[in-house]
Amino acid sequence: MQTLGKRAALDFVSDHRELFDRNAADNPFASSEWMLHFIDQIALDDWTFTVLEHDAGGVSLMPLYSEPGARFRRSALANYYASLYSPIISSAQNRRGAIAELVRELGSVRPRCAAVNLAPLDREAADTAMLADAFSTQGWLVKKYFCFGNWYLPCAGLSFADYMDGRPSRLRNTWQRKSRRFLEGHGARLEIVCDPAAVETAMDAFDRVYAKSWKQPEPYPRFVRRWAEICARKGWLRLGVAWIDDVPIAAQIWFTLNRRANIFKLAYDEAYSSLSAGTVLTAHMIRESLERDGVTEIDYLTGDDDYKRSWMTHRRERIGLLASNMRTPRGLAMGLVEWAGDVRRRLIQRRRNGVTVNG
């Protein structure tokens, strides 16, 4: 195990780029570029990073962090910007064994770790199940909790025409009607920016739209812009903007790698809501993803917003694991609180079901 400061954590990820990138095939938020950007932009100088290492049969890592005043707690190296956390970064063939060793190592650290919160995780992933089993086997109390739904579209070989034919009639009719109206307007145009040289201007447009949308201000103003710049340099960026003359009225930041299109940020100017520019732009970007990029999946990342189910076809869930170390006084207290809360919720649900049945 290594305990690192912020600068050392950045160096560690840089030194293990190949390992992180190998594990990013199914999760872009496990890539070295994302990890470096996240630590650089989000982490505070007084965060402590814990890197659990296991190298039997291949290198395996579990990146965690803790904040001052709560050194007994460790958390996944993720927040609301990352829609998926990979709990193990590994080249090991025996992932179950590697996970068990990493959890065993976590239980032996000093000062002792009382609780670990890992989220968001793929509910159906084998790693998630093996992680929960490893904690339980080693005496930790594990609580699973819901984080959010994730809407996505499997689309290998799918044409745009067939895709739109499969959309709900209300969406399809709105897109057809609003597209004609938008594109017939004076000075109306759609663009998708990929070129690093054009990112600054495109992000200025995105920020103008974002400021006039329903969205709350970003808590880390440089985070999204810097990520767009990184994606452009890597060839991943797809930054769509809908314009009326020189006024941007809708904008979306997508990034595409490993033949997966990730819809990261979107906004539209509410003053132009009657044009449905967001709908027109979304369809345009999906067309480009299918026909130009040939993606196998389009992912809306975080949230169960109603509009997402109209564009996507499948839903999966992201969950969290809260593990309390019952061999520590703090962990025991936290575990008992969680256990008592679960018992109370079950009793309340039983009473409600009883009222429903008997009523």
Side-chain angles (χ1 to χ4, degrees):
M1 184 199 78
Q2 295 190 50
T3 301
L4 309 172
K6 180 175 179 176
R7 181 68 260 171
L10 290 168
D11 291 340
F12 182 90
V13 175
S14 294
D15 292 342
H16 294 80
R17 276 183 178 273
E18 184 179 351
L19 180 61
F20 279 93
D21 292 340
R22 192 184 312 163
N23 281 262
D26 297 320
N27 179 16
F29 304 104
S31 68
S32 62
E33 292 292 349
W34 178 268
M35 285 289 188
L36 290 168
H37 178 57
F38 184 88
I39 295 170
D40 178 59
Q41 294 287 314
I42 303 296
L44 301 179
D45 291 338
D46 54 6
W47 281 17
T48 299
F49 298 87
T50 302
V51 181
L52 303 169
E53 297 182 84
H54 172 64
D55 59 7
V59 178
S60 299
L61 310 171
M62 186 185 295
L64 307 168
Y65 81 92
S66 57
E67 300 182 39
R71 300 300 188 195
F72 62 93
R73 294 180 64 106
R74 287 173 174 79
S75 301
L77 199 57
N79 70 359
Y80 52 84
Y81 281 120
S83 71
L84 185 62
Y85 169 69
S86 290
I88 178 172
I89 307 297
S90 180
S91 61
Q93 294 296 316
N94 181 6
R95 293 181 73 86
R96 181 179 294 276
I99 289 173
E101 287 298 322
L102 290 170
V103 171
R104 186 174 296 114
E105 184 178 348
L106 182 60
S108 67
V109 301
R110 296 293 185 274
R112 301 189 74 181
C113 178
V116 182
N117 188 23
L118 304 178
L121 301 168
D122 182 351
R123 177 187 286 276
E124 303 302 325
D127 282 359
T128 301
M130 290 189 289
L131 192 63
D133 288 346
F135 275 114
S136 296
T137 299
Q138 295 182 39
W140 297 60
L141 180 67
V142 178
K143 176 185 177 181
K144 297 180 181 180
Y145 61 92
F146 174 76
C147 291
F148 52 82
N150 165 235
W151 286 89
Y152 67 104
L153 172 75
C155 54
L158 182 66
S159 70
F160 181 71
D162 288 342
Y163 165 75
M164 288 307 300
D165 283 345
R167 296 310 88 228
S169 59
R170 182 176 179 180
L171 173 63
R172 188 170 61 251
N173 293 335
T174 298
W175 164 68
Q176 291 171 338
R177 187 175 67 256
K178 295 294 186 176
S179 291
R180 286 193 299 269
R181 181 181 174 190
F182 176 79
L183 295 174
E184 288 170 357
H186 177 69
R189 71 185 191 279
L190 302 171
E191 71 169 337
I192 298 178
V193 173
C194 307
D195 185 356
V199 171
E200 184 174 359
T201 299
M203 279 305 302
D204 287 344
F206 176 86
D207 287 343
R208 287 174 63 186
V209 173
Y210 198 91
K212 295 182 178 182
S213 73
W214 72 101
K215 301 277 190 175
Q216 295 295 318
E218 290 286 347
Y220 301 92
R222 285 284 305 165
F223 187 90
V224 174
R225 180 179 289 261
R226 180 74 181 116
W227 180 242
E229 294 168 354
I230 292 169
C231 288
R233 287 203 309 271
K234 300 293 290 185
W236 303 340
L237 183 66
R238 307 291 184 266
L239 201 168
V241 184
W243 298 84
I244 297 292
D245 293 322
D246 61 349
V247 178
I249 64 172
Q252 301 184 9
I253 300 173
W254 296 29
F255 60 95
T256 297
L257 69 156
N258 299 321
R259 298 189 69 192
R260 287 182 169 86
N262 302 279
I263 306 174
F264 185 56
K265 287 286 180 179
L266 53 82
Y268 63 84
D269 186 338
E270 292 182 287
Y272 294 87
S273 60
S274 64
L275 295 177
S276 296
T279 297
V280 175
L281 180 60
T282 297
H284 181 65
M285 297 192 73
I286 290 175
R287 183 198 295 272
E288 291 295 297
S289 291
L290 296 175
E291 296 183 352
R292 185 183 69 179
D293 292 328
V295 299
T296 59
E297 184 176 288
I298 299 174
D299 191 340
Y300 251 121
L301 299 179
T302 303
D304 270 318
D305 310 79
D306 286 341
Y307 68 86
K308 294 178 181 178
R309 68 187 67 217
S310 296
W311 291 104
M312 304 289 105
T313 57
H314 291 65
R315 180 184 182 274
R316 54 200 166 197
E317 291 189 350
R318 303 313 189 197
I319 65 168
L321 294 181
L322 179 61
S324 302
N325 187 351
M326 305 299 278
R327 295 189 177 94
T328 69
R330 281 195 180 99
L332 178 61
M334 294 174 65
L336 290 175
V337 168
E338 294 295 335
W339 174 81
D342 286 343
V343 170
R344 180 175 178 273
R345 281 188 289 273
R346 285 197 294 269
L347 289 174
I348 291 173
Q349 189 60 49
R350 284 182 184 177
R351 292 195 189 102
R352 287 176 177 169
N353 291 342
V355 169
T356 300
V357 171
N358 296 330

